[in-house]
Amino acid sequence: MSDSTEVFINGEKIVPEDLGRDGLKLLQHKDCYKLDTASVLLAWFAACFVRNGKPCKMLELGSGTGGVSLLVSARARNASVDGVELLELPYKVFSENIKINHLEDRITAYNCNILDLPATVKNQAYDVVFMNPPFYDGTKGSVTDASAKSLHESSARFSAPGGLEDFIKIQSSRTRTSGGYAVMCISPDRVPECFALYSKYKITPVRLMTVHANASKPAFLALIAGKKGAPNAEFKALPPLFINEEGSSALTTRAQHIYEEEHDECFI
């Protein structure tokens, strides 16, 4: 399939876009959650927990249309990724994204609930389990705001009661007990809740990075990593990431490196 091939999903034509890394293309559907800053940074952060030179088995919970899994595969060539998505439409787009990039041997998409994983996923222990769970618990933002979004958009942003705990519980159950990493991005105000749930499900927080629009703005995103089966692991708060220079739309040197240059970071 050529890069310019038009793909039809549910009768709608979608043209692949340049993903901006490793020549990969990305299909996005207007009714699905779009790749955004959080997605790109999660892919970078998750790849930072892949050891060089040895195979790495990774799992993404709530993979949407697969943009994060694609970016992870480009950053970590020694990794294979299983992606789990509940909703049928983004799953279909994800499956097509795998096909147009010829990544069938490295990425597998599953259409299922994280609470009802197929045996091929449930019976595996993964080196890195990463996710971008719903940021809000339904108490923030109005019901009108949530319902005005498409089903796929609101499902990505708003969780049912206990949704975050479900995600972390399953993340823990699928992370390799002997030193596997659980990685996620979340709204900064939910970091204490995440750490409490990590403690409950035997994940030791090891890395935290806050992300800011610029040096004068409060954090709008938190990147978190925990280690399974390592109760005495050292916790480090990494230097904050500023996306733009103060008073400018220009990327900072650090952000530009993350977005545009080859992957060379490791936070293990």
Side-chain angles (χ1 to χ4, degrees):
M1 190 176 290
S2 67
D3 290 341
S4 61
T5 298
E6 298 170 347
V7 177
F8 286 84
I9 298 177
N10 290 359
E12 183 170 345
K13 181 177 71 176
I14 308 177
V15 178
E17 307 167 19
D18 186 354
L19 193 51
R21 185 167 292 273
D22 204 31
L24 294 179
K25 300 295 179 180
L26 179 68
L27 298 165
Q28 300 200 85
H29 193 284
K30 63 180 178 60
D31 291 332
C32 297
Y33 185 79
K34 301 293 194 302
L35 194 75
D36 60 7
T37 298
S39 307
V40 173
L41 294 179
L42 174 61
W44 164 73
F45 198 66
C48 289
F49 292 89
V50 176
R51 296 183 185 277
N52 292 328
K54 59 184 298 186
C56 180
K57 189 67 176 173
M58 306 180 76
L59 172 66
E60 182 180 13
L61 299 176
S63 53
T65 58
V68 178
S69 287
L70 291 178
L71 285 171
V72 167
S73 74
R75 289 183 175 277
R77 307 280 183 92
N78 56 320
S80 58
V81 184
D82 288 340
V84 173
E85 172 53 41
L86 170 64
L87 300 174
E88 185 177 7
L89 178 57
Y91 163 74
K92 286 181 178 179
V93 179
F94 186 9
S95 298
E96 291 295 335
N97 275 322
I98 294 170
K99 292 178 185 177
I100 67 170
N101 289 292
H102 311 292
L103 288 170
E104 292 91 341
D105 60 334
R106 293 186 57 203
I107 303 178
T108 304
Y110 295 90
N111 184 200
C112 61
N113 193 313
I114 63 168
L115 300 176
D116 188 23
L117 296 172
T120 49
V121 175
K122 189 181 293 186
N123 294 335
Q124 290 196 59
Y126 292 85
D127 300 300
V128 181
V129 181
F130 60 99
M131 61 185 188
N132 178 2
F135 271 25
Y136 310 113
D137 62 6
T139 63
K140 299 203 174 176
S142 69
V143 174
T144 301
D145 289 340
S147 61
K149 300 176 184 294
S150 72
L151 169 65
H152 310 90
E153 179 88 5
S154 60
S155 295
R157 293 184 181 276
F158 296 87
S159 66
L164 180 59
E165 180 165 2
D166 287 339
F167 268 88
I168 290 177
K169 179 180 180 180
I170 299 304
Q171 184 182 42
S172 175
S173 72
R174 301 277 47 84
T175 303
R176 178 168 54 83
T177 299
S178 179
Y181 288 93
V183 178
M184 66 185 295
C185 65
I186 196 68
S187 177
D189 62 355
R190 300 195 79 180
V191 169
E193 181 184 358
C194 291
F195 282 1
L197 289 169
Y198 270 15
S199 176
K200 180 176 180 178
Y201 293 105
K202 301 187 182 339
I203 301 173
T204 303
V206 292
R207 301 292 183 268
L208 168 67
M209 176 183 286
T210 56
V211 184
H212 309 248
N214 57 50
S216 67
K217 298 291 186 181
F220 68 86
L221 184 73
L223 299 165
I224 302 171
K227 196 171 185 180
K228 189 79 179 293
N232 299 316
E234 182 183 9
F235 174 79
K236 291 182 180 179
L238 300 169
L241 172 63
F242 304 114
I243 301 298
N244 300 114
E245 298 288 357
E246 188 70 29
S248 169
S249 61
L251 292 176
T252 61
T253 300
R254 180 71 167 134
Q256 187 171 9
H257 170 71
I258 292 171
Y259 274 83
E260 300 176 5
E261 298 177 21
E262 288 301 311
H263 186 85
D264 60 6
E265 296 91 353
C266 185
F267 295 144
I268 295 175

